[in-house]
C-alpha cells in the first residue's frame, strides 16, 4: 500500500485527483492539470491476459513490476515502500511497519476505476446509512458526522473470464397432493397433503463468464466488499498513476492462484443455479456436475473505496463506501436499551392479544 504524491508545477504543493473529473487539482493555489485521454492505451489495458500465463509466471516485463513491501503484522495489508523509506504506519490500523529485506515481483494493475464520489459525498452516504439502522444508539449518526475524514483507497481486485460447458446428473421433484381425513375437536376434517415424485434427470448447461470479481486484499472483510457490488466496470480506465494522486493504493495480498480458486467457486455456484433451472420441477437434487473450463483469462484492477473507522464507547467500527455508487457497508453498534424496549413492547402486545382472545 502506498500513498501517491504529485507536486504542483506552480507552487510545489501536492496535487490530488478530483473525483468525478479527469483532472488533478492543487488545493493550495488552485492549479488544474488535466489527465490526457489515451484511447489506444485503453483497448490494450482492458484486454484480458491468458490465465495459464499468469499462473505459470510467464508474463512480460511490461505486465509486472518490482516492489519493496511487507505485510502489516496487525491487519495483513500489504504496505509498500518507496525510495529510501524504511518505516511507516499502516494506513488501515496505524501499526508501525518496517520494511523487510528483498524485493517482490508483482503483477501490475491493468486498469483503474476512478473515484466518482468526493469525500463529502461519501460521508453523506454513510451518514444516511447510519441513520437508517434500526436499534442503533441515538448518538451514533452525530458522532460519525463529527469524526475524522474518510480515507480514499484503491482496493486491488482480480477479474476472471471463462467459457464453461457442464454436464450433470441429478433428480427432479414434482409435487402432487392427496386428500387426507383426520379428526380434530371431535369433528372429521380433510386436508391436502403434499408429496414429491422424483425422477432421474441429466443434461448439459453452458455459460460464458465475464469479469467475475474477486477481492485481492486481506485487509478488508470479503463480505463487506462483496456487498458494495455492483460496479460499473465499463467505466474502467487504463492504469494511470494520476488517478491515484492524493489517494492510497493497496497492493494485492491474495495471489492470482488463490483468487482464481475463489473465482471458480463463484462461477460453480452460478453453474449449479443453471443446473437447477435446467432440471426444473418443484425441487431439484444435484448428484454430480462436471465442468469443462476454457478461454480462461484475468485482469488485475483497482476499485475505489472510501473507508472510515470510528470508536464508539470504547469499540472500533469500520465502514466502507463504494466510491463509484455510494453504496455503504460496515459494522454497526447496537443500542441495548432500544432492543430491551422493543422486546418489552412485544411482550406487552403479546399479553394484550392473549388476554383479548381469552375473554372471547
Amino acid at each position: 500500500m502506498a500513498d501517491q504524491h504529485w507536486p504542483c508545477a506552480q507552487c510545489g504543493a501536492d496535487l490530488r485527483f478530483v473525483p468525478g473529473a479527469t483532472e488533478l487539482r492543487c488545493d493550495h493555489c488552485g492549479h488544474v492539470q488535466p489527465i490526457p485521454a489515451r484511447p489506444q492505451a485503453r483497448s490494450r489495458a482492458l484486454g484480458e491476459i491468458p490465465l495459464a500465463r499468469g499462473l505459470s509466471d510467464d508474463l512480460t516485463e511490461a505486465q509486472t513490476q518490482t516492489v519493496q513491501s511487507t505485510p502489516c503484522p496487525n491487519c495483513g495489508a500489504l504496505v509498500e515502500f518507496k525510495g529510501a523509506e524504511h518505516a511507516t504506519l499502516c494506513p488501515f490500523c496505524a501499526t508501525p511497519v518496517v520494511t523487510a529485506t528483498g524485493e517482490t515481483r508483482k503483477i501490475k494493475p491493468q486498469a483503474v476505476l476512478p473515484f466518482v464520489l468526493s469525500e463529502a459525498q461519501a460521508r453523506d452516504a454513510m451518514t444516511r446509512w447510519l441513520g437508517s439502522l434500526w436499534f442503533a444508539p441515538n448518538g451514533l449518526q452525530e458522532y460519525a458526522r463529527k469524526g475524522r475524514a474518510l480515507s480514499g483507497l484503491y482496493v486491488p481486485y482480480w477479474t476472471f473470464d471463462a467459457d464453461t460447458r457442464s454436464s450433470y446428473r441429478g433428480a427432479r421433484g414434482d409435487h402432487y397432493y392427496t386428500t387426507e381425513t383426520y379428526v380434530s375437536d371431535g369433528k372429521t376434517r380433510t386436508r391436502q397433503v403434499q408429496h414429491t415424485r422424483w425422477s432421474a434427470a441429466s443434461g448439459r448447461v453452458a455459460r460464458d463468464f465475464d469479469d467475475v470479481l474477486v477481492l485481492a486484499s486481506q485487509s478488508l472483510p470479503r463480505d463487506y466488499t462483496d456487498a458494495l457490488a455492483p460496479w460499473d466496470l465499463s467505466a474502467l480506465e487504463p492504469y494511470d498513476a494520476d488517478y491515484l494522486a492524493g489517494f492510497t493504493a493497496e497492493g494485492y495480498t491474495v495471489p492470482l492462484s488463490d483468487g482464481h480458486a475463489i473465482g471458480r467457486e463463484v462461477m460453480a455456484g452460478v453453474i449449479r443455479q443453471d443446473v437447477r433451472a435446467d432440471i426444473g420441477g418443484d425441487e431439484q437434487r444435484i448428484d454430480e456436475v462436471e465442468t469443462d473450463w476454457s478461454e480462461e483469462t484475468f485482469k488485475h484492477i483497482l476499485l475505489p473505496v472510501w473507508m472510515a473507522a470510528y470508536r464508539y464507547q470504547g469499540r472500533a467500527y469500520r465502514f466502507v463506501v463504494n466510491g463509484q455508487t455510494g453504496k455503504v457497508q460496515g459494522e454497526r453498534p447496537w443500542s441495548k436499551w432500544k432492543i430491551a424496549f422493543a422486546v418489552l413492547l412485544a411482550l406487552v402486545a403479546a399479553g394484550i392479544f392473549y388476554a383479548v382472545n381469552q375473554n372471547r
Side-chain angles (χ1 to χ4, degrees):
M1 183 180 302
D3 293 315
Q4 308 295 326
H5 300 276
W6 277 253
C8 173
Q10 289 191 1
C11 70
D14 282 344
L15 294 170
R16 64 175 180 84
F17 170 68
V18 181
T22 54
E23 62 187 30
L24 304 180
R25 183 178 301 163
C26 177
D27 290 333
H28 183 70
C29 71
H31 173 67
V32 173
Q33 177 179 310
I35 300 175
R38 298 186 300 158
Q40 292 182 345
R42 179 179 178 83
S43 60
R44 293 195 303 268
L46 302 185
E48 306 290 338
I49 300 176
L51 178 66
R53 287 184 52 198
L55 294 177
S56 62
D57 199 20
D58 182 27
L59 300 177
T60 66
E61 288 191 11
Q63 294 170 325
T64 62
Q65 61 186 346
T66 300
V67 297
Q68 191 176 28
S69 61
T70 190
C72 171
N74 182 48
C75 71
L78 188 65
V79 180
E80 296 182 2
F81 296 85
K82 293 184 177 295
E85 186 180 35
H86 294 287
T88 187
L89 295 179
C90 173
F92 268 108
C93 62
T95 300
V97 180
V98 179
T99 182
T101 58
E103 296 177 326
T104 305
R105 187 166 175 253
K106 308 283 285 186
I107 299 173
K108 281 184 180 179
Q110 294 163 255
V112 57
L113 189 62
F115 275 89
V116 174
L117 299 184
S118 66
E119 190 271 341
Q121 291 171 320
R123 175 175 292 279
D124 288 344
M126 187 187 71
T127 303
R128 289 193 300 270
W129 180 77
L130 291 172
S132 69
L133 298 179
W134 286 58
F135 301 122
N138 289 330
L140 176 64
Q141 189 177 20
E142 185 64 23
Y143 181 88
R145 187 182 293 116
K146 294 179 179 178
R148 63 180 178 83
L150 278 69
S151 300
L153 174 68
Y154 280 104
V155 179
Y157 277 80
W158 302 112
T159 76
F160 296 98
D161 292 4
D163 293 350
T164 66
R165 303 293 181 268
S166 305
S167 58
Y168 67 85
R169 290 189 304 102
R172 168 180 173 142
D174 293 293
H175 294 163
Y176 66 96
Y177 298 86
T178 59
T179 301
E180 179 181 84
T181 301
Y182 67 102
V183 177
S184 175
D185 296 330
K187 296 182 179 180
T188 300
R189 307 175 186 270
T190 60
R191 59 188 172 194
Q192 295 292 300
V193 179
Q194 177 183 293
H195 306 275
T196 303
R197 182 181 294 107
W198 290 96
S199 57
S202 62
R204 296 181 63 85
V205 295
R207 180 177 285 267
D208 296 341
F209 291 92
D210 180 46
D211 285 340
V212 174
L213 276 173
V214 174
L215 177 67
S217 167
Q218 295 176 329
S219 52
L220 285 173
R222 186 177 157 198
D223 55 345
Y224 280 19
T225 53
D226 285 352
L228 294 183
W231 302 85
D232 179 11
L233 298 186
S234 67
L236 281 170
E237 293 290 342
Y239 176 79
D240 188 326
D242 284 352
Y243 291 111
L244 278 55
F247 294 91
T248 299
E250 184 185 5
Y252 64 83
T253 51
V254 176
L256 177 61
S257 57
D258 292 351
H260 175 235
I262 296 172
R264 275 205 174 183
E265 287 180 8
V266 173
M267 289 184 266
V270 176
I271 291 171
R272 291 183 69 87
Q273 293 177 6
D274 290 345
V275 169
R276 292 188 181 279
D278 197 61
I279 291 175
D282 300 304
E283 297 183 46
Q284 303 83 34
R285 284 203 304 254
I286 301 176
D287 298 323
E288 182 181 38
V289 177
E290 292 186 356
T291 299
D292 292 327
W293 306 80
S294 63
E295 302 300 321
E296 291 190 271
T297 59
F298 79 96
K299 291 194 303 288
H300 174 28
I301 65 174
L302 301 177
L303 299 185
V305 171
W306 287 103
M307 185 185 71
Y310 293 99
R311 296 196 68 83
Y312 187 81
Q313 295 186 346
R315 181 180 170 186
Y317 297 90
R318 287 190 296 181
F319 308 97
V320 289
V321 183
N322 183 317
Q324 183 187 47
T325 67
K327 193 172 183 180
V328 184
Q329 183 65 27
E331 299 167 303
R332 50 81 51 87
W334 298 84
S335 170
K336 296 180 181 179
W337 293 108
K338 285 186 178 181
I339 295 174
F341 184 68
V343 171
L344 180 61
L345 284 180
L347 291 174
V348 170
I352 293 174
F353 178 80
Y354 179 77
V356 170
N357 282 275
Q358 284 291 102
N359 294 327
R360 285 183 177 178

